[in-house]
Amino acid sequence: MKRPHRIFRCFRLFTPQPEKVRTCIRVEGSRIRELLTAAEADRIREAEQIDLRKFLVGPGLVDIHCHGAMGSDFADGTVEDISAAAKYHLAKGTTALLAGIGSCRLKEMQKACRTTRNLMKEIPNLAGVHLEGPYFSIQWFGCHLREMIRNPVRREWIQLEKDADVIRLVTLAPELPGALEFIRHFRKTGTVFSIGHSDASYDEIEKAADAGLSHSAHYFSAMPTARRVNRVLLPGVRESVLLSDRITTEIIGDGIHVGGRLVEYLYRFKGPKKTALVSDALRGVGCPPGDYAFGPRNGKMCRLLDQPRVGVVPDDPEKLASSAIVLSDSLKILSRETALPLGDLWEMASLTPARILGIDRRKGSIAPGKDADFLALDRQLQPGKVFIGGTLVPTEGNEK
């Protein structure tokens, strides 16, 4: 039976930018048909009416850098773990998500890719896989297991080619031997490449951009700054990313990895269209404070603190690990901690990451022809209702 037209009536609508006139969304099936004024919506009597006027409504969020929740990490690779983490983030407003796989063995990467591919048919917010590592600088591996860090050797990465359909994003250090060949080869399949955990020079980053690298991971985190070479101060990864118009970037939106003033600083350089917000969520999201493995269950142990609520490396607690937020938390946190408009923050958490991945024809904004993915926030900017494909997502019973 064909689903009837539904009209979502909103008072404050972000598309992601504020829309003051056409605040009603007409949905047919799972897609947005058109935006209407309230008067136009009143004339469509046969449509089901969904009242969201007490909420702030905008596009569902797109998280391109997320590792898990509810005690599960996507790198665990099981149906149960990937499902639990993806569904938790969906209930909090993330309607498109890359399953982030930290540095691990090849067979663990392959298992996570296969499981994710199978689950994409039934878990609607799973949009693919992000391989964060293992091809990193040994000087900048962060909370990843040191023994997993290695160079991108062709005989290994060529075995990932059969999973290229789900590998949407790869973060690596492009200065490593073999990295440029890896980038060139997988760019042909549509994989996006990101610089991260790298010690590359400006020239090495430019060569990587020539090869197809177009993004940069968690700005300020595991990212070296300018240094002197033969007494000359030269750009590090931070400055090189700012200088390149070809490279987008992302911020962990917890207000801790990057404080409010530095979020504004990066925003001035890159703007909302080239700066994505990400969660970089640890498996401990939704769980009590305690120790949680990063990556597979045999990964490096990270400690989730309560005050401030963030992940740290236990033997070096000044070193941050992943975050303890979901992406919708970043809208509330950065609305409080910065002077950035909510519309720009919403764009940085929805349309910008969708563009980075090349899925913006379907995701990231409220416009005719796009998927009817909506996040409705209450006045405290907490998730109230979430819709994916026009269907309400259950939101109760998500906390441990």
Side-chain angles (χ1 to χ4, degrees):
M1 181 177 177
K2 188 175 180 180
R3 296 171 70 184
H5 289 195
R6 283 150 293 147
I7 292 179
F8 293 77
R9 290 182 172 269
C10 312
F11 177 66
R12 291 192 64 188
L13 178 64
F14 294 81
T15 64
Q17 293 301 327
E19 171 59 55
K20 297 182 179 179
V21 179
R22 296 181 302 156
T23 58
C24 297
I25 311 164
R26 186 178 184 181
V27 172
E28 183 175 0
S30 62
R31 301 282 191 93
I32 299 166
R33 176 167 173 174
E34 60 185 335
L35 297 183
L36 304 167
T37 65
E40 290 169 336
D42 289 340
R43 292 195 286 269
I44 305 175
R45 301 185 183 278
E46 72 279 7
E48 177 188 357
Q49 303 285 326
I50 299 167
D51 190 353
L52 298 178
R53 284 174 288 189
K54 68 178 182 179
F55 298 102
L56 285 71
V57 180
L61 307 185
V62 179
D63 198 348
I64 62 176
H65 195 148
C66 175
H67 291 283
M70 297 298 286
S72 295
D73 192 297
F74 293 116
D76 294 335
T78 69
V79 169
E80 295 77 15
D81 285 301
I82 293 176
S83 298
K87 289 177 180 179
Y88 182 86
H89 285 278
L90 175 58
K92 300 296 184 180
T94 301
T95 54
L97 173 84
L98 291 188
I101 313 302
S103 300
C104 57
R105 297 178 179 86
L106 174 63
K107 63 182 180 181
E108 291 171 317
M109 291 189 278
Q110 292 172 318
K111 178 183 178 182
C113 287
R114 288 195 303 269
T115 306
T116 300
R117 178 190 293 107
N118 292 335
L119 286 173
M120 285 170 66
K121 302 167 187 173
E122 56 187 86
I123 300 179
N125 68 327
L126 273 177
V129 163
H130 168 205
L131 296 181
E132 188 188 11
Y135 309 129
F136 288 159
S137 165
I138 200 65
Q139 296 173 279
W140 294 94
F141 59 87
C143 67
H144 295 247
L145 270 181
R146 189 184 191 282
E147 54 265 37
M148 288 293 109
I149 305 307
R150 54 197 185 269
N151 290 339
V153 179
R154 181 183 175 88
R155 68 175 176 271
E156 177 175 86
W157 58 252
I158 200 68
Q159 297 181 65
L160 292 168
E161 194 168 31
K162 65 185 70 172
D163 297 309
D165 59 319
V166 293
I167 300 173
R168 303 304 305 268
L169 177 64
V170 174
T171 296
L172 83 174
E175 73 275 16
L176 298 178
L180 297 185
E181 182 188 7
F182 180 32
I183 293 170
R184 291 190 191 100
H185 189 87
F186 267 72
R187 276 301 294 151
K188 298 173 186 176
T189 70
T191 300
V192 177
F193 279 84
S194 168
I195 181 172
H197 298 269
S198 165
D199 200 38
S201 68
Y202 174 84
D203 288 340
E204 288 169 329
I205 293 171
E206 284 296 290
K207 289 179 182 177
D210 291 341
L213 184 140
S214 59
H215 186 59
S216 56
H218 44 44
Y219 196 87
F220 289 113
S221 298
M223 183 178 277
T225 189
R227 61 194 164 195
R228 294 191 182 276
V229 178
N230 295 326
R231 299 189 177 88
V232 179
L233 187 64
L234 298 177
V237 177
R238 292 186 194 179
E239 295 80 13
S240 300
V241 167
L242 293 185
L243 286 167
S244 177
D245 290 333
R246 295 187 287 177
I247 299 177
T248 55
T249 195
E250 66 189 41
I251 299 170
I252 301 172
D254 63 358
I256 300 170
H257 280 79
V258 184
R261 299 292 79 76
L262 286 176
V263 172
E264 294 171 346
Y265 163 88
L266 186 57
Y267 173 92
R268 289 192 182 189
F269 274 94
K270 287 292 191 181
K273 298 187 186 311
K274 290 191 175 182
T275 308
L277 294 178
V278 299
S279 72
D280 198 5
L282 184 66
R283 71 164 74 229
V285 169
C287 300
D291 289 351
Y292 298 90
F294 176 83
R297 294 190 186 276
N298 62 354
K300 189 168 183 175
M301 199 59 64
C302 298
R303 181 159 296 157
L304 180 60
L305 304 179
D306 188 32
Q307 293 295 332
R309 189 158 174 83
V310 69
V312 300
V313 178
D315 56 4
D316 186 3
E318 293 303 310
K319 181 185 289 186
L320 297 183
S322 291
S323 88
I325 65 166
V326 294
L327 189 53
S328 57
D329 290 332
S330 68
L331 300 181
K332 179 178 181 178
I333 292 167
L334 298 182
S335 289
R336 182 182 67 235
E337 299 294 332
T338 75
L340 304 190
L342 180 57
D344 283 358
L345 291 171
W346 214 314
E347 181 171 352
M348 293 160 70
S350 57
L351 185 55
T352 297
R355 283 199 196 104
I356 289 168
L357 289 186
I359 60 172
D360 52 302
R361 292 183 65 182
R362 293 280 300 273
K363 303 289 184 182
S365 62
I366 295 176
K370 292 201 172 186
D371 292 347
D373 299 347
F374 312 134
L375 168 60
L377 299 175
D378 64 21
R379 299 297 177 179
Q380 288 72 48
L381 299 186
Q382 296 282 10
K385 293 179 183 291
V386 179
F387 298 84
I388 188 163
T391 299
L392 180 65
V393 175
T395 57
E396 296 299 320
N398 288 306
E399 300 292 338
K400 274 193 176 179

